[in-house]
Amino acid sequence: MASNSLAYNEQSGGGEAAELGQEATSTISPSGAFGLFSSDLKKNEDLKQMLESNKDSAKLDAMKRIVGMIAKGKNASELFPAVVKNVASKNIEIKKLVYVYLVRYAEEQQDLALLSISTFQRALKDPNQLIRASALRVLSSIRVPIIVPIMMLAIKEASADLSPYVRKNAAHAIQKLYSLDPEQKEMLIEVIEKLLRDKSTLVAGSVVMAFEEVCPERIDLIHKNYRKLCNLLVDVEEWGQVVIIHMLTRYARTQFVSPWKEDDGPEDSEKFYDSDDEHKEGAGKGKKAYAMDPDHRLLIRNTKPLLQSRNAAVVMAVAQLYWHISPKAEAGVISKSLVRLLRSNREVQYIVLQNIATMSIQRKGMFEPYLKSFYVRSTDPTMIKTLKLEILTNLANEANISTLLREFQTYVKSQDKQFAAATIQTVGRCATSISEVADSCLNGLVCLLSSRDEIVVAESVVVIKKLLQMQPAQHGGIVQHMAKLLDSITVPVARASILWLIGENCERVPKIAPDVLRKMAKSFTTEDDLVKLQILNLGAKLYLTNSKQTKLLTQYILNLGKYDQNYDIRDRTRFIRQLIVPNEKSGALSKYAKKIFLAQKPAPLLESPFKDRDHFQLGTLSHTLNTKATGYLELSNWPEVAPDPSVRNVEIIELAKEWTPAGKTKKENPAKKFYSESEEEEDSSDSSEDSESESGSESEEAGDSSEDSGQSSSSEQEGERAGQPQAGSRTARKGFSTKADSDSEDEEKENEKSNSSDSSSANSSSAEGSSSDSESESECDSGSESRRATKEQEGRPKQGGSALPKDVSLLDLDDFNSVSTPVVLPTPVLSPSLRADLEGLNLSTSSSVINVSSPVFVPVKTHMLLHRMSGKGLAAHYSFPRQPCLFGAKMVSVQITLDNTTDQKIENIHIGERNLPAGVQMHVFNPIASLEPQGSVTVSMGIDFCDSTHTASFQLCTKDDCFSVNIQPPVGELLLPVAMSEKDFKKEQGLLTGMNETSALVVAAPQNFTPSVILQKVVNVANVGAVPSGQDHLHRFAAKTVHSGSLMLVTVELKEGSTAQLIINTEKTVIGSVLLRELKPVLSQG
């Protein structure tokens, strides 16, 4: 999959250029009618002149047209010399298009391509990292064997480049060079070994992909880098995560002993955290209770957060890792994540369901709680339906079989005939696996024999035949019933199955079998070959058991078969004649003819087609195809004795002494305690401290930017020595789901700080990264974060003499039961100018000037809660007063008016049983003792709808009766109006763009777009507050949701004519889209 990512990276520039080229060529208007037939020579001369122009705009236009020609399939090879001249252009856009052109024609015109090699070699020294990476990418794409040494040298130089983006492209180039010249393997392995030591998350995925392509058998290269890869895993790009997880799965199967031998559950998982002394004592006593290797546990623990990934391939990779290397008691955590993937598109569903089908055979308990998730939908394609059927069959047991059989009854009636036939086979499998329902399944299949659908009947016959083989003596009546169906069934497989059943039970139906043979003899010549073979078998069996009635009939059928066109039937006829009709030529075998034909047949074993797929690694192409695909790497068996775990130890104690700055003392952690339980809890305790001291650490970094840039490598190594995974651990502590947001915020902060810094040397590299590629920016950010984390960890023990407080890491969410201890943080000393800069970097979505205001408008509209006819004289209406609820800040205030329309008192009116959706809460009114005839009373309630339009269902009860009623809030009543300035509105709106913004075009008469009309219509629908606007064509409204306090910003922008743009910005995208649908028709109305 990483190769797909590689291809995408390399072709993205070309795709953009091709699109631009098409646009450029489409704007060229031919001069006169004969412009279409102008010679290519003239056009190319024009392009050559543009390429030799002194203006970059002309060159760029020419390159767009040339790439457009390539996209249309035209030959532009004669422009090669003119294009190559522009490789040295300072315009990056021109260079990109030149690189796209050269990649296209380099292999076709190798001699011309060699002319540009020197230019690429110079570009490899360019100060811009993007140019260096592009030059290497194009150079590696030139498939010319003669430049292999040059490519090898370029890859070696790029692997030592300061930019992680260039090193990433060096890893990509390794795979291309290996496919061009496999003899370079040994030299490439040296480069891979060097890149595997790289601490950058940007490089990790690409180099592991190169490792998998070039030397997957060199497991020894992974030993020293194993722990680093585990810790960085959560920060690597998604496709890199997939590759690394698959590689680490294979690694774990060769380096650790099986956790399945003695799977004693959580007790064993706790033992692995004990000290190494105890571990050594246990190892010396032979085979004791299983204790998991700490590195084995590290891999399982660090991959668990990735089950929340938005990328289906990552979730699938983690699932297969848990399946293949984790204890069976812990593998259950993957089931919920895999079921979540069933909401994806059908291709993802297909792969996930295939893997679930394999898992559910061995471990049914993993997926039994999610049984309903595998129910078939009418919109599912056939391939998805059959896979869900397979899983439902695997999960069937005595407890749920009755529910499943009712579900199957619906599936049999499906218009999808292939699916209906598969359902009938499923019923047969359930009958064989669960003996309690065998009879009811058989009776149900017999009922299907009367169906008008021929395919359903045929499949039922085939399945009944298999079921009857298991208990033939009990169902003679079914055989008779099936014999009568021979006249109506035309499907060959079904007819052959009936004939086989009659032949096997010919002694139980002595009157019917000869008559069936007579009918079949009439139609023998027109039957399918499969049916003819069964007619011959039936004749032979009847000849042996009832020769008096069927001797002549059998001889007649044998004569027909003797001259049949199919040689199989002729051969079977000769064999049967010699076997059952004794003569001089017959051998001793004819004595045993009856035993041969009427021997007891073994009952067929109805098995899952996924039973034998578990020997393939889950999630691979080989597993999907059920055959070994090219390039598939098999999982090795667990070793009986674990290899030496010390090969994964990294010598870091001496390095710590060497790199510790003068004047600072640092406590060294002994190597044997690297993954002890206490240290793991120390690592996790930093999560709360980091969030509180973020501003302080940033100010320190801003003040010491030059120092940090000069000592980046040392601080990184210090972080590594301290046993603290830098980027991976930090992101794991911050939270998996907020990775992208935090990265983008850190980028902005880094850029502003670099601009305000006095050190030009430190700024040059960061400015270069920001102008070239966002990936390198995020890499720099992760590095700076790790340096900040290292500084904080060094500073804390000095100021507070106590040990670090224990907290809970995100990696151990399941065991969250501790309370974090507050930490007193040092107050940084800031200069006034630096304080002002940092205050400007505040990205918080909350503002002190945004307060709840009084409603602009309160509608008098009421909603029917209980009609007087349904309530036996008690009528109830409800309305929304648009006031903060007295019963809870997160509740919506609801007023209920109760009317007694009878001439008698209604006593004890109260709220009875409540049936509320998950999370929804209700504060009920106090019971009303009595309501006088024709009397009315208004009461208040509070309902927390959890920012959704879910219906709150409950019972409104009197002394004698209870009535079921529902309250469903309009989306506009889930809001509270807020007052804010236009400046604050624009600021908040700028933070809620992209997926948080929905818009629609509204068309109405101009008189409907006056300020007063717009205000009236909007506040009538939604409880929002008006925001003052300095522009007449912009009308702004603001509110926040009652439950979560998320902002809801509504903008009506008037366009020319009678149109307006309705824009809604909010984090609650579902509520935003619903509100948009309600506001649009209201604004459009006259």
Side-chain angles (χ1 to χ4, degrees), residues 287-335:
K287 290 189 176 180
K288 274 187 66 178
Y290 169 73
M292 183 178 286
D293 188 291
D295 289 327
H296 192 173
R297 172 60 63 188
L298 175 72
L299 175 58
I300 295 174
R301 188 177 68 239
N302 282 14
T303 52
K304 186 176 180 179
L306 297 182
L307 287 171
Q308 305 169 34
S309 174
R310 62 185 177 183
N311 190 310
V314 175
V315 178
M316 192 64 247
V318 178
Q320 64 84 26
L321 178 137
Y322 265 75
W323 178 261
H324 289 299
I325 73 166
S326 73
K328 293 181 180 179
E330 299 179 23
V333 299
I334 67 176
S335 53

Side-chain angles (χ1 to χ4, degrees), residues 432 465-472 500 600-606:
T432 58
K465 168 210 160 189
K466 294 176 181 177
L467 294 179
L468 290 183
Q469 281 184 257
M470 300 178 184
Q471 36 191 352
W500 185 90
Q600 186 69 32
K601 312 295 191 301
L605 192 60
L606 301 177

Side-chain angles (χ1 to χ4, degrees), residues 879-949:
S879 62
F880 298 93
R882 293 191 174 180
Q883 294 294 338
C885 185
L886 300 175
F887 309 116
K890 295 184 178 182
M891 289 188 172
V892 177
S893 183
V894 183
Q895 283 188 353
I896 298 179
T897 302
L898 303 169
D899 296 301
N900 183 358
T901 61
T902 67
D903 54 1
Q904 297 178 354
K905 279 187 180 182
I906 300 179
E907 298 181 346
N908 191 20
I909 303 174
H910 62 281
I911 300 296
E913 183 180 348
R914 283 170 270 182
N915 183 19
L916 303 176
V920 175
Q921 297 180 355
M922 176 186 292
H923 188 282
V924 301
F925 59 85
N926 294 326
I928 300 171
S930 65
L931 185 58
E932 297 297 326
Q934 305 302 319
S936 177
V937 65
T938 300
V939 293
S940 294
M941 293 176 55
I943 304 177
D944 182 1
F945 289 102
C946 293
D947 290 346
S948 69
T949 55

Side-chain angles (χ1 to χ4, degrees), residues 31 124 180 556 694 803:
S31 58
L124 291 171
L180 181 64
Y556 171 71
E694 191 170 356

Side-chain angles (χ1 to χ4, degrees), residues 775-787:
E775 291 181 312
S776 60
E777 287 179 6
S778 62
E779 175 57 36
C780 295
D781 294 338
S782 64
S784 63
E785 285 182 1
S786 65
R787 290 193 294 273

Side-chain angles (χ1 to χ4, degrees), residues 275-292:
S275 64
D276 278 7
D277 295 334
E278 296 178 9
H279 180 72
K280 291 174 183 176
E281 290 176 10
K285 296 180 182 178
K287 290 189 176 180
K288 274 187 66 178
Y290 169 73
M292 183 178 286

Side-chain angles (χ1 to χ4, degrees), residues 110-124:
Q110 297 182 6
D111 295 335
L112 292 174
L114 294 176
L115 298 175
S116 61
I117 295 299
S118 59
T119 308
F120 291 132
Q121 288 179 293
R122 287 196 302 272
L124 291 171

